[in-house]
Amino acid sequence: MLAAPSVHNLAPTYLMYQDVMSKEMAQTLMDLVDEKGKETIWDDNPNCIELQISNPFSEDAYWDEASKDPRVVSLLPNLMDLGQTFLREANKHFNNNVCHTITGNHGFWVMRYDAPGGMFGMHCDADLGPTGVHPPIVATAAILLNDDYEGGETIVLDGKKHGSYLERKKRSAVSWDGWAQHQVCPVTKGSRYVCIVHMVGSLRGTI
């Protein structure tokens, strides 16, 4: 039987950025999910409304129709630029663990977590099972759009399953690799808005 490893990804694997988008862009994304979002389908994700924008892998025509909104069309150049920036940063910092190369994304997922209890339980994004996102997610960036709510803390686990509560400010972003276990704690007051960029690429082989 193997002894416990002495070192195993002791620090959480994440990057943090400040002021990644304008307040006008953040407000438009919040307005869009309020008007066009629908209840999420994901397990362990109650009281959450989501809107996908420009997802090339979606099989749901609903998202395609929402992406034709003139406000979405006007935002897409800036969103795409932002997605490419996160992609380049992830390639620099995460290709030693989950993936060889990050090549694209699943579009942009705007989510609204409502009190009481809007949350996302502990999970990792690179879910290779039949109910996971396909193609598999190798990295994620999450942009917090507002701060007028309570609860809803972001926790990322390290290699020994110790949780780090991330200090978040509105319009800031955090990015983690696809294997990082993380969660959104229950929102206790108000609504928490976030824009998610899920990135895809070539996974490292497993044994």
Side-chain angles (χ1 to χ4, degrees), residues 52-74:
Q52 291 183 36
I53 296 173
S54 191
N55 184 350
F57 305 108
S58 176
E59 297 179 357
D60 190 338
Y62 171 84
W63 308 123
D64 294 336
E65 288 303 313
S67 293
K68 296 175 183 177
D69 187 290
R71 293 167 294 178
V72 173
V73 174
S74 69

Side-chain angles (χ1 to χ4, degrees), residues 122-159:
M122 190 64 68
H123 65 286
C124 71
D125 294 330
D127 182 351
L128 305 182
T131 60
V133 175
H134 294 280
I137 296 164
V138 297
T140 296
I143 306 161
L144 188 64
L145 301 178
N146 70 317
D147 61 3
D148 53 340
Y149 64 91
E150 294 177 9
E153 298 89 353
T154 304
I155 300 178
V156 178
L157 296 189
D158 65 17

Side-chain angles (χ1 to χ4, degrees), residues 34-79:
D34 284 347
E35 296 172 27
K36 297 181 177 294
K38 66 179 184 179
E39 189 173 343
T40 184
I41 63 171
W42 306 108
D43 294 336
D44 233 4
N45 189 197
N47 288 10
C48 183
I49 303 297
E50 70 174 359
L51 174 68
Q52 291 183 36
I53 296 173
S54 191
N55 184 350
F57 305 108
S58 176
E59 297 179 357
D60 190 338
Y62 171 84
W63 308 123
D64 294 336
E65 288 303 313
S67 293
K68 296 175 183 177
D69 187 290
R71 293 167 294 178
V72 173
V73 174
S74 69
L75 287 179
L76 270 180
N78 287 333
L79 283 173

Side-chain angles (χ1 to χ4, degrees), residues 151-171:
E153 298 89 353
T154 304
I155 300 178
V156 178
L157 296 189
D158 65 17
K160 290 190 174 182
K161 297 186 178 179
H162 298 147
S164 292
Y165 285 80
L166 305 186
E167 293 291 333
R168 308 289 305 276
K169 295 181 179 180
K170 62 181 177 181
R171 301 192 301 278

Side-chain angles (χ1 to χ4, degrees), residues 10 45 77 79 86-87 91 94 116 131 162 183 196:
L10 295 182
N45 189 197
L79 283 173
F86 286 130
L87 184 153
N91 267 323
F94 295 152
T131 60
H162 298 147
Q183 74 177 89
I196 303 293

Side-chain angles (χ1 to χ4, degrees), residues 94-136:
F94 295 152
N95 62 4
N96 64 334
N97 43 26
V98 68
C99 61
H100 289 292
T101 305
I102 300 170
T103 56
N105 63 58
H106 275 280
F108 306 91
W109 306 42
V110 188
M111 307 180 77
R112 189 188 81 211
Y113 296 86
D114 294 328
M119 61 171 288
F120 211 139
M122 190 64 68
H123 65 286
C124 71
D125 294 330
D127 182 351
L128 305 182
T131 60
V133 175
H134 294 280

